[in-house]
Amino acid sequence: MPVATSTFARRAVAAPVALAAVGLVLSACGSKATDSTDAAGSDSCVDTSGDTIKVGSLNSLSGTMAISEVTVRDSIALAVEEINANGGVLGKQIRIVAEDGASEPTVFAEKAEKLISSDCVAAVFGGWTSSSRKAMLPVFEDLNSLLYYPVQYEGLESSPNIFYTGATTNQQIVPALDYLKEKGVRSLYLVGSDYVFPQTANRIIRAYAEANGIEIKGEDYTPLGSTDFSTIVNKVRTADADAVFNTLNGDSNVAFFREYANVGLTAADMPVISVSIAEEEVVGIGAQNIAGQLTAWNYYQTVDSAENTAFVDAYKAKYGANKPTSDPMEAAYASVYLWKNTVEKANSFAVADVQAAADGVSFDAPEGTVTIDGDNHHISKTARIGEIRGDGLIYTVWESSGAIEPDPYLESYDWAAGLSGS
C-alpha cells in the first residue's frame, strides 16, 4: 500500500485492552466463498458471495455520550439508505449491524471484536471519545479490519486500520487559537473532561500559548458525566481570563453552561470557545444559556451549499423537522461515502485493497469537498469558527480560505516540537 511506513510506525501506541476473546478463531464465522488471508496474516470472514455486504455501526446509545452519539448512528444509517437506493456498493446492498458502545471504552473494544470476528463486517463506522478509539485501535490492527472514526480529536496518532474523518488538531484547535489571538485574547482558562482528548488537547494549547504570549490562568478536569460545576465555574469567574477553552464532552456541557449562566457569566464578559459542542448539544443546554458563545468545527447546519441543503433536508425528512445536523454527524455521513468511493476505486472490499486505493479519494460532502490523505488516513477539511445564536443554530463567523491538509503530528509548527513523543 502507498502509505508512508514511518507515519504509521510512529503512531501513538494505544493502551492494552483486556478482551475476553482476542484469540477467537475467525473460522467460527463459517466457511465463506471469499475467505482470504489479509496482509497482516489474519483470516477474513467477510462474505462477498451474496448480494449484500455487512458493515458495523458502533456508537454510544446509552450512557453519558448518548446525547452526542445517537445522532451519529442516525447519519450513518441515512448514508447507507441513500447509497442502497442508488445501487449500493459494487452492486451489493449494505446491511448495517448496529452495536451500543454504552459510553465505555472496554465495551467499544468488545463490540468491535464482535463486529469483526462474529458479524464479519467489511468496515465499522463509529466511536466518539478518544478513549473509545484508543481502546478499539489494537482490535482493528490485530484483526486487520477498518474503522472509520468521525469525530475531531487530539491528533498525534495514525493507523493503517483507521480512517479519521473528523478534524485533527491543525484543522480545529490551532485555527481556534489563531482566531482567539487575532481577536486580542491574551489569557485562557482551560476546562475539560478527564480523559485522553482534553488532556492531550490542553498540552497542545499550552505549547501554543507559550509560543504566542498567551497566559494560562487555570486548568481543571472533571470526570465524564459530571454535573456539579459550581466549584469550577467559580474558579473560572475569579480567574478573570479573557476566554475559556472548553474541551468538556457529552452531557457535562449541559451542567457547565447552565452553571455558567447561573452565576451571570456571558459571552460578552468571558467568551467560551468549545470544540465538542454541536447543534444537538445546544438543544440540551438550552440556547438561552449559551447564546453568543463560540465553537470550532468544520461543519454547521447553516453551511450554505447545495450539498448541505440536500443533506439537511434528507436528515430532517427521515428523523424529524426539529432534528438538527452537526459536525460529527456530517463527518460520519461523509465517512460512509468515502468508504464506498474507496471500495469502488479498489474494486474490492478487502482491507489491503481499500488501504492501497485510499489516497486521493474524495467526496463532495456537506462541509465541502474532502479528500483522503493516503499517508496518514486523515482527510482535508475546512476550518470554521461559529457563534451559537438564540435559535439554537451555529453560524460561521470565520472560515479558512480552503480545505486544510491534515497534519496530525503538527510537523509544520515549530512550537509543537516534541509533543508527539511526550
Side-chain angles (χ1 to χ4, degrees):
M1 58 181 288
V3 176
T5 304
S6 60
T7 300
F8 289 129
R10 61 191 176 77
R11 64 169 173 75
V13 179
V17 178
L19 296 175
V22 163
L24 183 67
V25 178
L26 295 183
S27 59
C29 299
S31 177
K32 304 294 183 183
T34 56
D35 275 352
S36 61
T37 300
D38 59 39
S42 299
D43 291 332
S44 170
C45 64
V46 175
D47 185 5
T48 61
S49 63
D51 57 4
T52 62
I53 188 75
K54 289 191 287 187
V55 302
S57 173
L58 180 50
N59 313 101
S60 292
L61 310 181
S62 59
T64 189
M65 293 306 302
I67 186 176
S68 302
E69 295 190 54
V70 167
T71 55
V72 172
R73 184 271 316 269
D74 292 344
S75 64
I76 292 167
L78 174 62
V80 167
E81 181 180 281
E82 291 176 352
I83 291 168
N84 283 342
N86 284 284
V89 181
L90 297 183
K92 300 180 187 300
Q93 293 286 287
I94 305 170
R95 176 186 161 198
I96 296 177
V97 182
E99 290 289 350
D100 179 9
S103 304
E104 293 290 344
T106 54
V107 175
F108 270 93
E110 292 161 2
K111 296 294 188 179
E113 189 199 356
K114 172 188 176 291
L115 287 167
I116 299 164
S117 300
S118 299
D119 297 306
C120 303
V121 299
V124 176
F125 302 90
W128 183 293
T129 67
S130 287
S131 298
S132 70
R133 187 194 69 256
K134 286 190 175 293
M136 290 188 287
L137 187 151
V139 179
F140 282 91
E141 291 190 337
D142 291 346
L143 300 178
N144 199 35
S145 188
L146 297 174
L147 171 66
Y148 285 76
Y149 176 71
V151 184
Q152 46 73 233
Y153 84 114
E154 71 280 358
L156 309 182
E157 179 184 291
S158 58
S159 168
N161 294 89
I162 299 180
F163 286 95
Y164 305 77
T165 63
T168 188
T169 318
N170 76 304
Q171 299 166 321
Q172 186 195 31
I173 289 176
V174 174
L177 291 167
D178 287 343
Y179 178 82
L180 293 175
K181 180 184 175 183
E182 181 183 326
K183 294 298 182 182
V185 168
R186 293 294 176 264
S187 61
L188 288 171
Y189 200 105
L190 310 181
V191 177
S193 298
D194 192 10
Y195 76 103
V196 178
F197 164 64
Q199 292 166 352
T200 307
N202 285 340
R203 277 201 296 120
I204 293 167
I205 291 169
R206 289 197 305 270
Y208 178 101
E210 183 177 355
N212 288 274
I214 296 174
E215 179 185 1
I216 303 299
K217 290 204 167 186
E219 182 174 350
D220 275 298
Y221 298 95
T222 185
L224 274 170
S226 293
T227 58
D228 183 358
F229 281 90
S230 55
T231 299
I232 288 178
V233 168
N234 187 57
K235 289 168 70 176
V236 170
R237 182 173 56 82
T238 57
D240 195 30
D242 290 338
V244 176
F245 205 108
N246 171 33
T247 53
L248 292 169
N249 253 279
D251 52 12
S252 290
N253 278 301
V254 176
F256 172 74
F257 276 101
R258 287 181 177 175
E259 182 64 19
Y260 206 79
N262 188 51
V263 301
L265 286 172
T266 67
D269 302 324
M270 193 185 301
V272 180
I273 191 161
S274 302
V275 291
S276 295
I277 289 179
E279 285 83 347
E280 65 265 28
E281 286 85 11
V282 172
V283 173
I285 294 165
Q288 72 278 7
N289 295 315
I290 199 171
Q293 303 290 9
L294 300 172
T295 65
W297 288 107
N298 309 98
Y299 167 85
Y300 302 116
Q301 180 177 303
T302 55
V303 167
D304 185 14
S305 71
E307 291 81 7
N308 187 43
T309 297
F311 170 61
V312 172
D313 288 349
Y315 188 87
K316 289 180 177 292
K318 184 173 177 63
Y319 296 109
N322 64 330
K323 299 291 187 180
T325 58
S326 69
D327 184 289
M329 294 164 53
E330 187 269 350
Y333 173 87
S335 71
V336 183
Y337 277 96
L338 286 168
W339 171 75
K340 168 188 178 289
N341 293 351
T342 311
V343 166
E344 291 179 342
K345 179 182 175 183
N347 196 33
S348 170
F349 294 100
V351 169
D353 295 337
V354 171
Q355 290 168 327
D359 188 47
V361 171
S362 64
F363 172 59
D364 291 331
E367 69 181 89
T369 301
V370 296
T371 304
I372 297 174
D373 183 328
D375 182 58
N376 55 43
H377 282 192
H378 293 66
I379 66 174
S380 59
K381 298 178 79 70
T382 300
R384 293 181 169 95
I385 306 299
E387 180 184 306
I388 301 165
R389 297 187 183 161
D391 60 2
L393 296 179
I394 306 173
Y395 294 82
T396 301
V397 295
W398 174 89
E399 67 179 49
S400 57
S401 58
I404 300 171
E405 295 300 315
D407 181 9
Y409 293 96
L410 298 173
E411 294 171 325
S412 57
Y413 300 91
D414 290 341
W415 54 262
L419 282 172
S420 61
S422 56

